[in-house]
Amino acid sequence: RMNGPQLKAVLERAYRNYYYYKYVPGYGGYSYYTTCMIDTNSIGKIVYRDGYPALPDGNNVGALLLNGTRVDFTDATKYYLVSTVNYLAAGSCNFNDNGVSLWPLNQIVNDTQYYVRDAVIDYLAAQGTVSPKIEGRIAFDSTAPVTTATAPTGWQNTPAAVTFAATDDLSGVKATLYTIDGGPTQTGTSFTVSADGDHTILYWSVDYAGNVETAHSLVVKVDRTPPVVTYSPSGLVYDATDTVTLTCTATDALSGVVSSTCANVSAPAWQFVVGPKPSATATDAAGNVGTGTAVFTVRPSTHGVSSLVTAWVTKDGIVKSLTAHLDAAAASRARGQDGAADNELAAFRNELAAQGDKALTADHAATLAALSRLL
């Protein structure tokens, strides 16, 4: 009975025998080559990494597969029944350290040399020519895995999912690794990129024979921040008859603005007392939508409202009456008589309501009434 670490120890020594036979003159002959390399029967497959010219380093066994299932070389709790010849089990052919066999002789279940011998004879008779490499029971893996990536293209306004799929036909994929923006190497086959930015991802895989794939790269672009729409100047105060002049700008620091309803403003301030203030939207390449509204205050003066009365009211007598209410309200307000001022302005609005669509349009009457409430 042998566990994973014990199997790896004898297989690593078998690779060392192969290495010295093949690459170092004067080591062994045909019998050394055929006897001192470990073979396996048809249920198994041994995969080695031929690291020549580097010397064997104890990490040249990529995999031992039994009926397609990988033996875990780190698991000392699971045991396998292993049949071999006494010659090797005794530590011959370098299967020993300082005379102590690498084979765990204290774990022998059955000592049936006759059976092993007969099994070998029967196998040779049935097969004719024996070649572990041709039969696929021993393989040398010098080919790196192949890794493909699946990731969204173009700018994304949600976290971007990246997945990897790696294949290796011999020893199998041991791990897939990746870095994000030159950061630490991470292991895994999927992750999500949430941070805004243009991210470069390097990815590659290694197999159990130690072959390392050349790194591939891909770019993932994430922009979860909407564009910024601004009107400038901002925060100014306008009289009713002033002209509001604003410049609208849409910006996006990442994917860029692809469309916008931004328009510059040049309009009299009184328009924004009864109507909405200017606003606009902008869309970036990732599909984020940003909105901005102009920031300013319309604070009418008595003089400004009176100017609009003069411009909009068509009857001189009504103009005089309305402006008289405005002047009286301003005088009361200056004396601290707010009640009297409010009464004059109420009278102003009542007269406007009576004159709507007569001495002035209903829209102008509504605007003047709204302005009066700000005096």
Side-chain angles (χ1 to χ4, degrees):
R1 295 195 322 146
M2 298 177 66
N3 59 30
Q6 292 167 339
L7 286 168
K8 186 173 188 296
V10 297
L11 291 175
E12 290 290 353
R13 190 58 56 91
Y15 171 79
R16 179 180 171 186
N17 291 340
Y18 155 82
Y19 180 94
Y20 278 92
Y21 170 80
K22 183 172 182 179
Y23 297 117
V24 182
Y27 278 81
Y30 181 72
S31 62
Y32 185 93
Y33 174 66
T34 56
T35 305
C36 299
M37 278 192 65
I38 298 294
D39 188 11
T40 181
N41 59 6
S42 60
I43 71 164
K45 182 175 184 178
I46 305 169
V47 181
Y48 290 107
R49 175 179 62 86
D50 191 336
Y52 179 82
L55 290 171
D57 59 7
N59 290 293
N60 296 100
V61 180
L64 171 59
L65 305 173
L66 302 179
N67 285 327
T69 301
R70 182 184 309 280
V71 172
D72 186 349
F73 289 143
T74 66
D75 186 356
T77 64
K78 184 174 183 178
Y79 286 85
Y80 304 84
L81 290 178
V82 181
S83 176
T84 188
V85 296
N86 287 356
Y87 178 72
L88 295 183
S92 302
C93 282
N94 293 323
F95 285 97
N96 71 85
D97 284 329
N98 298 318
V100 178
S101 175
L102 296 178
W103 300 82
L105 300 182
N106 61 336
Q107 296 171 200
I108 293 175
V109 177
N110 295 295
D111 188 359
T112 53
Q113 182 176 354
Y114 178 77
Y115 170 79
V116 173
R117 181 194 65 189
D118 281 358
V120 172
I121 292 172
D122 290 345
Y123 179 77
L124 290 174
Q127 294 296 112
T129 301
V130 179
S131 173
K133 186 172 183 180
I134 292 175
E135 294 171 15
R137 290 179 281 121
I138 293 181
F140 287 91
D141 186 356
S142 59
T143 303
V146 176
T147 307
T148 57
T150 302
T153 58
W155 285 99
Q156 307 298 309
N157 62 8
T158 58
V162 180
T163 59
F164 302 120
T167 58
D168 189 273
D169 293 335
L170 289 175
S171 60
V173 177
K174 184 176 183 180
T176 297
L177 305 102
Y178 62 91
T179 65
I180 303 175
D181 296 331
T185 299
Q186 304 180 65
T187 301
T189 57
S190 65
F191 61 92
T192 299
V193 179
S194 300
D196 278 1
D198 198 326
H199 305 282
T200 299
I201 298 165
L202 300 181
Y203 62 95
W204 68 97
S205 293
V206 297
D207 62 20
Y208 281 94
N211 298 300
V212 180
E213 182 182 15
T214 301
H216 308 280
S217 67
L218 63 88
V219 175
V220 173
K221 300 179 178 181
V222 178
D223 180 1
R224 302 170 67 186
T225 304
V228 176
V229 177
T230 57
Y231 287 87
S232 59
S234 177
L236 297 183
V237 178
Y238 298 92
D239 198 350
T241 54
D242 289 341
T243 298
V244 178
T245 301
L246 304 172
T247 300
C248 183
T249 305
T251 59
D252 188 90
L254 289 172
S255 59
V257 175
V258 295
S259 65
S260 170
T261 61
C262 236
N264 294 337
V265 176
S266 181
W270 57 261
Q271 285 189 1
F272 304 110
V273 173
V274 293
K277 290 182 178 179
S279 64
T281 62
T283 304
D284 64 20
N288 300 300
V289 178
T291 302
T293 300
V295 177
F296 60 88
T297 301
V298 177
R299 188 174 297 151
S301 66
T302 299
H303 174 75
V305 177
S306 295
S307 297
L308 293 176
V309 169
T310 301
W312 291 346
V313 177
T314 59
K315 296 179 179 180
D316 291 341
I318 302 300
V319 170
K320 291 179 180 179
S321 176
L322 289 172
T323 54
H325 287 306
L326 293 174
D327 291 338
S332 295
R333 194 79 73 193
R335 291 192 296 269
Q337 299 171 343
D338 290 336
D342 292 339
N343 290 335
E344 289 290 346
L345 293 172
F348 173 81
R349 289 190 289 272
N350 289 336
E351 189 169 353
L352 284 174
Q355 294 298 325
D357 283 332
K358 295 178 182 177
L360 75 168
T361 66
D363 286 343
H364 285 164
T367 300
L368 290 170
L371 288 168
S372 74
R373 290 184 173 89
L374 300 176
L375 291 174

